[in-house]
Amino acid sequence: DVWTVLGLYKAANLIPGGVVPGLEFAGKVIAVGIGETTIPVGSTVFGFTRFGAFADHVTVPASFVRPCPSGWSAEEAAAFLVQGLTAWMPLTSSANDQPPVVLVHSTAGGVGLAAVQICKRLGAISIGTVGNQQKVSWLEDEGRSPNATIVRPSRGGAKALAASVAGAVERTVGASTPQEEGNPGCVDVVLDGIGGSCFEASLSLLNEGGGWFTSGEASTPRRGTGRTGSTSPRNGSSGRALTRGAWCQGA
């Protein structure tokens, strides 16, 4: 939504005449189309639309909504979709003969929390990164920790982060640390909402045929450009991304 308002969301910029932000919503059904029987009038639902959710009323196909679970607020239901689906899609699209090793950046954020829960349900091994030790403690207190949690190093950039992740994978699943360019990595799926040095580190760790999925670039953008100062797939590294794994935009 912020990118839409700032004019940095390409899909929104392609809509003639401008666009109303908002992709997710929750509320009460006040009318249904002729023949629609699955969603009764008066029911509370949550769903998504192709922009325009920042409004008093939205009109969407019935297949775009689901009943709101009992006990959920409208705010919780509206926030669930973008975070849950962003985590669900990459984790259920990878085909592995054994449980995949998943690297989740920003584990204490909305997408990260959903990803760890999904990994547990799927039997996948999750390695998470966070920005500080307080978030590690919070994850532990809430019972939401991945199999291993790493505080991203404040120095050393991508190499330091890659070494920390590789060490955590080795301690968790016994995988060997990559020693040189071209060797197999140690993670199968990466969920990255940060970009910058996280992108560089993730790519160096990704197994052949693995998937790297981005849901944003939380690294500080250069003023007036919307681009990060570090290497990212938007400024010169997409070639390596395509040879090592899949470069996909998140939901």
Side-chain angles (χ1 to χ4, degrees), residues 129-229:
T129 76
V130 294
N132 56 60
Q133 185 61 41
Q134 287 81 0
K135 293 181 179 179
V136 177
S137 301
W138 182 83
L139 288 168
E140 293 173 348
D141 292 342
E142 295 292 320
R144 293 186 161 190
S145 296
N147 294 91
T149 310
I150 301 162
V151 176
R152 292 187 294 275
S154 58
R155 298 181 179 180
K159 289 185 177 180
L161 177 57
S164 296
V165 173
V169 173
E170 186 171 5
R171 292 189 298 272
T172 304
V173 298
S176 60
T177 303
Q179 296 297 318
E180 59 184 4
E181 185 77 21
N183 273 1
C186 59
V187 300
D188 303 302
V189 180
V190 177
L191 275 70
D192 183 6
I194 299 178
S197 61
C198 285
F199 164 72
E200 297 181 68
S202 302
L203 190 58
S204 71
L205 297 166
L206 195 61
N207 278 323
E208 294 289 346
W212 176 84
F213 298 83
T214 174
S215 57
E217 292 182 20
S219 296
T220 303
R222 296 173 184 165
R223 182 172 297 178
T225 67
R227 293 184 177 180
T228 60

Side-chain angles (χ1 to χ4, degrees), residues 63-152:
S63 59
F64 283 23
V65 301
R66 292 291 185 272
C68 188
S70 177
W72 282 26
S73 67
E75 292 80 5
E76 290 170 330
F80 168 77
L81 272 175
V82 64
Q83 298 170 357
L85 289 179
T86 299
W88 175 261
M89 292 174 65
L91 293 177
T92 56
S93 63
S94 59
N96 292 279
D97 295 330
Q98 57 186 5
V101 177
V102 181
L103 175 58
V104 183
H105 292 299
S106 295
T107 312
V111 175
L113 291 171
V116 170
Q117 288 181 288
I118 294 170
C119 283
K120 291 179 179 179
R121 292 292 297 271
L122 297 178
I125 299 163
S126 57
I127 308 296
T129 76
V130 294
N132 56 60
Q133 185 61 41
Q134 287 81 0
K135 293 181 179 179
V136 177
S137 301
W138 182 83
L139 288 168
E140 293 173 348
D141 292 342
E142 295 292 320
R144 293 186 161 190
S145 296
N147 294 91
T149 310
I150 301 162
V151 176
R152 292 187 294 275

